[in-house]
Amino acid sequence: MLADYAGFLRSLVDLSAIRPLTVVVDAGNGMGGHTVPAVLGEAAGLPALPLTVIPLYFELDGTFPNHEANPLEPENLRDLQAAVVEHGADLGLAFDGDADRCFVVDERGEPVSPSAVTALIATREIVREQAAGTPSSEVRIVYNVISSAAVPEIIEEHGAQAMRTRVGHSFIKAEMARAGAVFGGEHSAHYYFRDFWFADTGMLAALHVLAALGSQPQPLSRLAAAYS
C-alpha cells in the first residue's frame, strides 16, 4: 500500500516544478522513517522530486532511543535545528511517532509556529478551491481556540469562512464533516484535510509547506512571517 499512499499524496500537492530544496527530516524513529522515503524520495518507485532529503532517525524503533517522538517539546527539536544549520538546509521537518503531526523549522533553525503553518496551508487551499470554481465565501476552514488570532484574520482576508472549534481531533473532524470544510489546523500541529477523509496527516501538511516554499524565492523565515 505504500506506493499507493505516496502516489495519492503527491496527486494532492504537486512538487515536480518547485525549485530545488534541501530538507532535513527528523522522523524520531517513528513512522515518518517508513513513509518519508516513499513520499519525498524514490523508495516507492515514484519519480524523483527536486528535493535533497537529509534523514535523522529513520530507523523504526519503538523504544525511541534518540529522543521522544514528540516534537511539541522543544528539547526534541534540538537535533533537527542543529542539522538544518549545519547542512545549510532550506527547512527542517519533524514528525511525531505516528506522523500525524508535523513541526517545521526554518533555514535559521527556528521553529515556525503551527498557527503560521495553518494560515499558510489555509491560504493555499482557498486559492485551490477558487481555481476550481468555488466562491471564496463558500470555502470553510476550521481552526481551534488556541490558534493565533492571525489565523482567522488571514482566512477572512481571503474571503473564506473561518470556523472556530474546541481543541481535539474528534471535535475538529466532526465540525469539518458537518460544514464540509476543506482544511482544519490546530496549534498542536495537527492538520486535517477534506481530501484525506477529514483526517489529520503530517505528511500532507509537509507537502504543502514544501510547495509553498519552493514556488517562490524567499527563505522560509520570510515566507512564514507573512502568516504570523
Side-chain angles (χ1 to χ4, degrees), residues 34-220:
H34 183 59
T35 56
V36 167
V39 179
L40 301 186
E42 300 175 73
L46 298 178
L49 296 172
L51 299 171
T52 299
V53 177
I54 299 171
L56 293 180
Y57 315 136
F58 272 35
E59 303 80 11
L60 296 177
D61 188 339
T63 68
F64 304 110
N66 295 288
H67 59 71
E68 183 185 8
N70 177 18
L72 185 62
E73 297 296 332
E75 61 266 24
N76 297 325
L77 288 177
R78 289 174 184 158
D79 291 352
L80 176 65
Q81 292 171 295
V84 167
V85 174
E86 176 187 352
H87 292 281
D90 295 288
L91 75 163
L93 304 172
F95 293 95
D96 66 348
D98 59 356
D100 68 345
R101 286 187 291 156
C102 177
F103 282 74
V104 181
V105 169
D106 69 22
E107 79 286 352
R108 306 166 303 172
E110 296 296 324
V112 177
S113 165
S115 288
V117 174
T118 294
L120 182 153
I121 298 174
T123 299
R124 287 177 50 82
E125 291 285 24
I126 293 166
V127 170
R128 186 167 70 98
E129 288 294 295
Q130 290 171 332
T134 304
S136 299
S137 60
E138 296 181 11
V139 179
R140 299 173 181 88
I141 307 290
V142 168
Y143 67 100
N144 72 13
V145 295
I146 60 173
S147 298
S148 165
V151 173
E153 290 173 1
I154 290 170
I155 293 168
E156 290 166 359
E157 284 172 3
H158 284 78
Q161 297 183 43
M163 308 181 69
R164 189 173 68 175
T165 70
R166 295 170 62 181
V167 172
H169 70 92
S170 59
F171 301 110
I172 289 183
K173 289 173 183 174
E175 181 62 14
M176 286 184 67
R178 184 196 68 78
V182 66
F183 171 67
E186 291 194 274
H187 194 69
S188 59
H190 284 99
Y191 305 106
Y192 307 78
F193 297 85
R194 178 196 62 197
D195 295 339
F196 200 77
W197 301 278
F198 298 110
D200 44 339
T201 162
M203 192 66 65
L204 186 50
L207 292 180
H208 274 284
V209 173
L210 290 165
L213 178 60
S215 63
Q216 51 82 63
Q218 298 184 105
L220 182 55

